[in-house]
Amino acid sequence: MKYKYITIVSVLLVAGCTSVFAGSSRKIGTAGAQELLLPIGSRGTAMGGAVIANSYGLESIFWNPSGLASLEGSEAMFSHQTYLADMDVNFGGVATTFESFGTVGVTAKVLSVGDIEETTDLQPDGTGNIYAPTLTVIGLTYAKNLTASVAFGATAMFINESIFQVNARGVAFDFGVTYRPNWNGVTLGIAIKNYGPSMRFSGSGFQRVQGEPVDRTVASNSASFELPSSVNLGMAYNFFNSEKNSASLSGNFRSNNFSEDLWQGGAEYSFSNRYFLRGGYNFSSANQYLYGLSLGAGLNFAVGEESTLSLEYAWNETEVFDDNQYFTLRVGF
């Protein structure tokens, strides 16, 4: 009975947060820590992000941490994404299940911006110094099956942004619930993402030496910025499951706090739980929304008696910039 109350409270919490986090074009560009929005893994990306209700394994930590509760044994995952303007996103993580306790995962995501030449007011053509901004998110996730139908998960994230001589540090939290009603292959999911206090940059980069009449060092203060929080509602429908063939459709609604709301749809076909084809699409009412169609494939095969190896790829259509590509390696043991 207590799990039923947990589910009801979660639904009411999301309903309340949805009105608070309602998207608005007037707030676009006012949130920071955008690396929190960068997806990891190829499966979810290939399905347009529409995996709030049916994510699993380490990749679920980004989409809905409750999906990690379905992990049996242990898993390690490595992912590389060629992001916009020659930036790279690298991810690594490991998770293991402890009997009767639940599943624990540790992850790290690093956005490497690349080399940038320093310029100043007095040297607009460059000082000769080169710096490479790095944005890092380190996460700790706990997930557990509360009942045969309800799973819960939560992630605590430490955020570190290092840009030349300034830094910003903060924390963020994700919460998720997955509900499997055992009704015609339908699964429901809820995830509250990137909830946490505001962040602020500080460091020696804000200091300036002023002269006349006396040299002195002064420092400016940066404005604080909020995190790109969102509420995500998802549903998945496994409409075909016969012998070695399986096919599913899924959809998400994301209520963004700092941009227009987003609709996501995805599909997945698998043969013998070994070969996978995936597709998805993102739709937003925002003008010139960056993402659109996505496609991908995966191969899963056994290594030895108790280990599995998965190779996955995803392609994501991107406006203005080169299209994104994702490469993922997953090892189960």
Side-chain angles (χ1 to χ4, degrees), residues 185-308:
V186 172
T187 306
L188 305 175
I190 300 171
I192 300 174
K193 295 175 56 60
N194 307 326
Y195 182 79
S198 299
M199 297 173 57
R200 183 191 301 270
F201 279 98
S202 62
S204 60
F206 289 107
Q207 298 178 355
R208 295 290 184 271
V209 177
Q210 292 184 344
E212 298 182 5
V214 180
D215 288 345
R216 60 177 180 173
T217 300
V218 298
S220 57
N221 294 322
S222 70
S224 62
F225 55 87
E226 296 184 58
L227 304 182
S229 53
S230 66
V231 174
N232 301 261
L233 307 177
M235 182 176 70
Y237 174 38
N238 188 351
F239 66 92
F240 182 76
N241 198 343
S242 176
E243 297 182 353
K244 295 184 178 181
N245 296 281
S246 178
S248 64
L249 295 173
S250 55
N252 288 355
F253 169 71
R254 180 193 296 178
S255 180
N256 294 300
N257 193 10
F258 289 92
S259 63
E260 298 286 0
D261 294 336
L262 179 66
W263 295 90
Q264 300 166 302
E268 181 179 46
Y269 167 77
S270 69
F271 176 75
S272 192
N273 199 34
R274 182 175 180 181
Y275 305 99
F276 300 87
L277 293 176
R278 301 165 179 135
Y281 192 81
N282 280 242
F283 173 78
S284 172
S285 58
N287 293 330
Q288 297 180 334
Y289 184 69
L290 191 61
Y291 301 107
L293 179 68
S294 57
L295 299 170
L299 173 64
N300 182 31
F301 51 92
V303 179
E305 296 182 357
E306 299 182 356
S307 300
T308 59

Side-chain angles (χ1 to χ4, degrees), residues 47-111:
M47 297 175 65
V51 290
I52 296 298
N54 61 348
S55 61
Y56 58 82
L58 265 168
E59 187 175 327
S60 65
I61 287 177
F62 174 81
W63 306 104
N64 184 344
S66 64
L68 189 64
S70 63
L71 180 67
E72 297 180 359
S74 302
E75 182 179 82
M77 174 178 158
F78 307 92
S79 178
H80 172 77
Q81 173 194 356
T82 303
Y83 193 49
L84 311 176
D86 296 326
M87 293 185 283
D88 292 320
V89 182
N90 294 295
F91 169 86
V94 62
T96 188
T97 299
F98 299 93
E99 187 176 357
S100 75
F101 176 73
T103 305
V104 177
V106 179
T107 58
K109 176 170 60 176
V110 180
L111 169 62

